[in-house]
Amino acid sequence: MKGILAAVAASLLASVCIASPVERATGPFLTPIGDQTWLIGNDVWSMTQGPTYGVKLMYKGRDCVGEAVGHYVSYNGAASNLNWTSASIIKNGTYKGVTFIDVLFTAAEGDMHWVIFEGQHGAYQYFVNHHLPTLGEFRTLWRLDNTTFPNGHTATKDEELPPLSEYLPQNKVQDETWLKPDGSGYITKYDWTSWTREQDYFGVYGDEVGSWYIHPGKDYYNGNHLKQELMVHRESSSGDAVQLNMIHGTHFQVSSSDVFPDGKMWGPWLWYLNDGSRTDAAARWEEELAEWPYAWLDDADYQARGRVSGKLVLSDGRPAANASVFLGDNNPTKTALDMGSTYYYTGYADEDGSFVFENVRPATYGLQAWSSGGKLADVSTTFLQNDVVVTAASGGSDDGETELGTLTWAVSPRKKLFQVGEFDRHSNGFLYGGAPWQHALVANCPADLVFRAGCSPVSDWCFGQTYKGNWTIRFKVKEEPAAAPRDPTLIVSLAGYSSGTSSTIYANGQVIGNLTSGAPGLASDPCLYRSATAAGEWRYFEFPVDTGLLKKGVNEVTFQVTRNTTWHGFMWDSIILEW
């Protein structure tokens, strides 16, 4: 809150530049100005909120929306915008000596809150569900003046948004994707994607004004560590600078169709205005992180928090060093990435396998863990423990502490004949794997490839396979296969898969399985054709290999793509043959 207190001192100077009626304001306000129309703001900024859209955002003497659409809340893409039927101040408060109001806008689906402090450059926002339908996408967003906000910023990308003049209809190649006029590459909004749970601050900015979203708490997001979402972009139909707040998204998933309980809260997050300085926005992120969970929010469920800790040890005695850990649905029926009805927590174990989740909402969770590569690169199994009960701290010495102790994670006891790539649910390490988001990168991967296990560097294997052709792994078996007590198993771990491409799998020329578009486990996620290079939705397959198919000496496993679709196919994580 240091940023709020410092802003009070600057508010007198800022208010000189802001148009009436904010010039006359002495603190945060909500003023009805017509039928289903209100003016909200404080002594620094103001916005005119209509039944759907917030427009005329006055800050630093200018209208930051201009001819753009403004602020709105919607679900299932742009199909359903929320319509506000009433507005009221539900709380007048003071926090650390600074006054604030909580303004509630009501809609049939739920309540949108704007918490506005005196002197604050922006406002806190949160949404409480009451009647949202089963859905995949839910978002708030600003569509702002394209001349005031020419640049975009995420944790992984910072540059000028493409000019609208380059979006030529004759060059459109697919959904929100165009060939550049000079033919040098592509323009697509999906290049502005970033990892949701690693995000600090993101937004659009110019030389004089910046508009940012800061989410210090992320437990209301759907998905796990692999969750990635579109953050900012240029609106192709109008040129608006878009600051997109995907608080429940599906842009890179197979599906996320969730039912939300009454009272599910997204937020609060901070919508922050400044002079366009990224350094200032970064500093504000640190301040907000230190303040979360926010003490000013008078909500018992929000304030109730517990703590979960434990230690993961593999069944072979190794500590689960740097493993990904996740608190999600109890007795899960969905993948960790597809979960989204309630609240979710992500983290990583330390070098000795110890992990801690702080500020967890009370509930019963399922704890999952999986390899993040490194010292666990060969671990193909997933840990799951259900019935992790979290209670809220109430002042006692052990209140709110869920100590799980040492947990044993069973790993495969079998011997590996070869492994291509670290098992980490990402394409990292392969050629182009983990490159910045960019469209059509998979087109640079070859149609045919030969990889010599134990000799070829991992980077010889490309991150994605899309063309018709054969990708072959050659490997040596040093002992007679007949001596093996059990048949080998080929493990195929995919970091993602986009439908329309099918593969037949061979061992020494004999079919041992297939990866067929539309088959169980191979529903499409949009990773490869929407600019992702590291992950989409993780898939895991096991194919038995008859021992009689192998021989002492050099053997081959081949993935033969027999049907393909442009920019669609397989994004690799790891391939393991073990017995």
Side-chain angles (χ1 to χ4, degrees):
M1 300 304 292
K2 292 183 292 183
I4 293 176
L5 299 175
V8 174
S11 64
L12 291 177
L13 177 62
S15 65
V16 172
C17 302
I18 300 174
S20 178
V22 181
E23 291 171 347
R24 298 188 296 274
T26 58
F29 59 85
L30 166 71
T31 305
I33 57 175
D35 185 29
Q36 288 184 274
T37 305
W38 306 268
L39 190 70
I40 66 170
N42 59 13
D43 42 331
V44 176
W45 63 274
S46 70
M47 182 193 73
T48 302
Q49 177 67 63
T52 303
Y53 301 105
V55 296
K56 203 170 181 59
L57 171 60
M58 300 304 301
Y59 180 68
K60 291 186 176 291
R62 68 173 69 205
D63 179 2
C64 296
V65 171
E67 299 301 316
V69 170
H71 184 273
Y72 60 105
V73 180
S74 68
Y75 58 91
N76 290 334
S80 301
N81 296 332
L82 270 60
N83 296 307
W84 312 118
T85 57
S86 66
S88 60
I89 297 174
I90 63 167
K91 182 177 178 61
N92 286 279
T94 301
Y95 182 67
K96 294 187 177 181
V98 183
T99 60
F100 70 89
I101 59 173
D102 188 334
V103 179
L104 167 64
F105 288 94
T106 59
E109 295 87 351
D111 300 330
M112 181 72 183
H113 294 255
W114 296 66
V115 179
I116 308 169
F117 279 80
E118 181 179 2
Q120 185 177 32
H121 291 241
Y124 294 100
Q125 299 175 312
Y126 63 100
F127 185 88
V128 179
N129 171 62
H130 293 307
H131 299 291
L132 278 170
T134 302
L135 56 78
E137 291 189 352
F138 183 49
R139 62 189 188 167
T140 77
L141 66 157
W142 283 100
R143 286 175 54 178
L144 297 164
D145 176 63
N146 57 21
T147 59
T148 303
F149 303 94
N151 308 306
H153 174 89
T154 72
T156 51
K157 187 179 181 72
D158 184 280
E159 62 184 51
E160 185 176 358
L161 296 169
L164 184 60
S165 60
E166 293 192 357
Y167 292 72
L168 302 179
Q170 64 270 29
N171 287 351
K172 189 169 186 178
V173 296
Q174 65 170 33
D175 167 45
E176 292 298 310
T177 306
W178 292 260
L179 183 67
K180 290 183 178 180
D182 63 3
S184 63
Y186 297 91
I187 301 168
T188 176
K189 68 181 184 181
Y190 299 110
D191 284 357
W192 290 94
T193 297
S194 193
W195 301 107
T196 303
R197 292 180 178 269
E198 297 177 9
Q199 192 63 39
D200 42 21
Y201 64 99
F202 63 99
V204 291
Y205 69 96
D207 293 335
E208 298 181 14
V209 182
S211 180
W212 312 95
Y213 281 129
I214 297 175
H215 289 261
K218 297 177 171 62
D219 53 358
Y220 42 84
Y221 281 132
N222 59 318
N224 62 357
H225 310 63
L226 297 176
K227 186 73 174 68
Q228 53 190 317
E229 267 303 337
L230 181 60
M231 301 281 178
V232 298
H233 64 92
R234 173 81 70 206
E235 177 58 43
S236 62
S237 63
S238 64
D240 296 355
V242 180
Q243 183 185 358
L244 185 60
N245 190 30
M246 293 297 303
I247 51 180
H248 192 282
T250 61
H251 276 116
F252 294 86
Q253 299 172 226
V254 169
S255 66
S256 185
S257 183
D258 292 310
V259 177
F260 307 109
D262 186 8
K264 163 71 185 277
M265 178 189 292
W266 286 270
W269 60 85
L270 175 64
W271 163 60
Y272 182 53
L273 291 167
N274 71 0
D275 62 0
S277 167
R278 288 163 289 169
T279 300
D280 173 69
R284 190 54 184 266
W285 151 257
E286 295 292 343
E287 294 174 13
E288 298 303 318
L289 189 62
E291 289 286 336
W292 185 83
Y294 294 120
W296 48 258
L297 180 56
D298 186 16
D299 180 276
D301 290 337
Y302 175 82
Q303 295 298 339
R305 302 279 171 166
R307 184 176 187 268
V308 179
S309 61
K311 182 176 182 179
L312 285 162
V313 177
L314 305 184
S315 57
D316 61 12
R318 288 180 290 166
N322 307 119
S324 299
V325 287
F326 175 69
L327 279 181
D329 293 346
N330 194 40
N331 298 304
T333 58
K334 298 180 178 181
T335 68
L337 184 61
D338 285 344
M339 295 179 193
S341 292
T342 55
Y343 302 97
Y344 303 91
Y345 300 86
T346 59
Y348 296 92
D350 63 17
E351 284 292 326
D352 72 355
S354 297
F355 62 89
V356 175
F357 294 98
E358 304 279 5
N359 295 308
V360 179
R361 284 176 174 258
T364 301
Y365 296 91
L367 171 68
Q368 295 189 39
W370 55 87
S371 168
S372 294
K375 295 179 180 179
L376 303 186
D378 62 324
V379 177
S380 60
T381 58
T382 298
F383 176 86
L384 171 64
Q385 178 164 315
N386 290 307
D387 302 318
V388 176
V389 179
V390 179
T391 57
S394 59
S397 59
D398 295 325
D399 283 349
E401 290 282 345
T402 301
E403 172 56 63
L404 300 176
T406 300
L407 305 170
T408 301
W409 176 353
V411 298
S412 173
R414 294 178 290 191
K415 175 183 177 181
K416 286 180 174 54
L417 293 173
F418 71 78
Q419 180 173 357
V420 181
E422 294 193 358
F423 206 101
D424 62 2
R425 303 191 180 186
H426 291 76
S427 68
N428 299 333
F430 299 132
L431 182 61
Y432 307 122
W437 283 264
Q438 55 189 291
H439 177 67
L441 187 60
V442 72
N444 294 336
C445 292
D448 297 291
L449 185 155
V450 175
F451 185 92
R452 294 169 176 82
C455 298
S456 300
V458 175
S459 58
D460 278 4
W461 190 266
C462 207
F463 85 110
Q465 185 178 10
T466 184
Y467 296 119
K468 290 181 180 179
N470 297 323
W471 285 25
T472 297
I473 302 168
R474 290 181 181 160
F475 61 99
K476 289 184 178 179
V477 176
K478 296 181 180 180
E479 55 193 289
E480 289 294 341
R486 296 179 182 173
D487 286 340
T489 299
L490 181 70
I491 297 171
V492 178
S493 179
L494 299 177
Y497 170 75
S498 297
S499 67
T501 299
S502 298
S503 175
T504 302
I505 307 171
Y506 296 86
N508 290 334
Q510 298 296 310
V511 175
I512 60 170
N514 62 75
L515 295 167
T516 302
S517 179
L522 269 182
S524 182
D525 72 63
C527 61
L528 282 176
Y529 64 86
R530 278 189 173 173
S531 300
T533 65
E537 183 146 350
W538 175 69
R539 327 295 171 84
Y540 177 92
F541 301 92
E542 291 188 357
F543 300 99
V545 181
D546 191 300
T547 305
L549 293 179
L550 302 183
K551 60 186 179 182
K552 186 176 181 179
V554 178
N555 295 261
E556 292 185 345
V557 167
T558 298
F559 297 87
Q560 182 181 78
V561 170
T562 57
R563 178 165 68 98
N564 76 313
T565 301
T566 303
W567 305 321
H568 292 227
F570 307 96
M571 186 185 291
W572 301 102
D573 169 29
S574 188
I575 304 165
I576 300 173
L577 182 62
E578 61 182 18
W579 64 6

